[in-house]
Amino acid sequence: MNVDVMTRPAVLILLGPPGAGKGTQARMLQEKFGLVQLSTGDLLRAAVAAGTAAGQQAKAVMEAGGLVSDDIVIAIIKDRLADEDCRNGVILDGFPRTTVQAQALDALLASTGQRINAAISLQVDDTAMVDRISGRSTCAGCGEGYHDTFKPPHDDGSCRKCGSPELTRRADDKAETVAGRLDAYHAQTAPLITYYDAAGVLQSVDAMAEIDQVAGDMATVVKSVMS
Ligand code: AMP
């Protein structure tokens, strides 16, 4: 872990459509910089699995590829940001996804004296996203992400990181749901690129390159904003 560039808790936001590689890159940055990856998608899936009230409300919307209500998502992230492990800094993966969420995050950070170091836009070609998403799987043991073509697991299908034989595919990664998720991104999340540009914190990375190349570019950006 390289913590030499960290002098105060960092807040990084990853922006990009589903399939852009936000989760993969967030996990790599987490390991490299000792930041905590906060994925609202993961938090919501955990709430659904646990059968909480929020999870019960979110389930159908998530399965349909829509966005869960701002109130639910903001409450979930607010709770999680208050946890002790977030004190070293966080990478927000999949949050905010609407202007209302971005404004709520601004207010939350202002109340704790924090600021956004960077909102990093992962720039991708939309037409490639369906292929990227439909080949995805996740290790049930350690959460490592895989892709049938771009980042395959071991030949026997087990996880390269922890050896677990169980890799799962997300229910909402079906081709028929992906188009709706991309639409939701363009209608509700893409305007945040302008929002963070206006705030002076927007950074962009070409996310069509090889995973390691993207990771290197991301690390360069992160080092430059964590002072
Ligand atoms: P993700 O794992 O980021 O692709 O998120 C999976 C699903 O969770 C999305 O398609 C949404 O239904 C829901 N979700 C995740 N994050 C948010 C958010 N910030 N706002 C609204 N819905 C979200």
Side-chain angles (χ1 to χ4, degrees):
M1 184 173 76
N2 173 3
V3 291
D4 59 322
V5 291
M6 291 186 56
T7 52
R8 71 164 113 173
V11 178
L12 302 173
I13 295 169
L14 301 192
L15 287 173
K22 298 187 298 294
T24 302
Q25 294 301 331
R27 276 187 293 279
M28 292 171 101
L29 290 176
Q30 170 168 269
E31 281 180 21
K32 197 170 172 68
F33 293 100
L35 304 168
V36 171
Q37 173 199 13
L38 295 188
S39 154
T40 39
D42 286 349
L43 293 169
L44 286 165
R45 281 184 286 278
V48 171
T52 66
Q56 285 173 23
Q57 287 182 60
K59 190 170 188 285
V61 182
M62 291 174 73
E63 281 171 2
L67 291 189
V68 175
S69 79
D70 289 329
D71 289 353
I72 290 179
V73 177
I74 290 165
I76 283 182
I77 202 85
K78 191 173 174 183
D79 266 10
R80 184 65 185 88
L81 275 171
D83 288 344
E84 184 73 24
D85 64 334
C86 293
R87 286 192 172 192
N88 285 340
V90 293
I91 307 161
L92 299 174
D93 157 15
F95 178 90
R97 259 177 158 99
T98 65
T99 304
V100 170
Q101 292 177 20
Q103 290 165 341
L105 177 65
D106 286 345
L108 195 58
L109 294 177
S111 73
T112 55
Q114 287 175 278
R115 68 181 176 93
I116 294 165
N117 296 63
I120 308 175
S121 168
L122 280 76
Q123 297 191 310
V124 289
D125 171 0
D126 231 44
T127 55
M129 290 307 101
V130 177
D131 285 347
R132 276 205 189 181
I133 293 175
S134 50
R136 296 200 302 197
S137 59
T138 304
C139 174
C142 69
E144 184 72 357
Y146 289 98
H147 188 279
D148 297 344
T149 310
F150 309 120
K151 188 186 165 193
H154 283 308
D155 288 345
D156 65 0
S158 62
C159 176
R160 288 184 185 274
K161 202 167 171 190
C162 76
S164 166
E166 197 189 338
L167 267 61
T168 58
R169 293 193 193 267
R170 278 169 46 174
D172 63 348
D173 277 352
K174 294 190 292 275
E176 57 268 34
T177 314
V178 171
R181 289 167 61 202
L182 284 168
D183 286 348
Y185 171 78
H186 286 293
Q188 295 175 80
T189 309
L192 296 183
I193 293 174
T194 308
Y195 182 94
Y196 287 119
D197 194 17
V201 293
L202 184 71
Q203 301 276 344
S204 297
V205 164
D206 172 11
M208 291 304 288
E210 294 281 315
I211 292 175
D212 289 342
Q213 168 77 48
V214 180
D217 293 348
M218 300 278 292
T220 302
V221 168
V222 171
K223 280 181 192 159
S224 74
V225 299
M226 294 210 326
S227 53

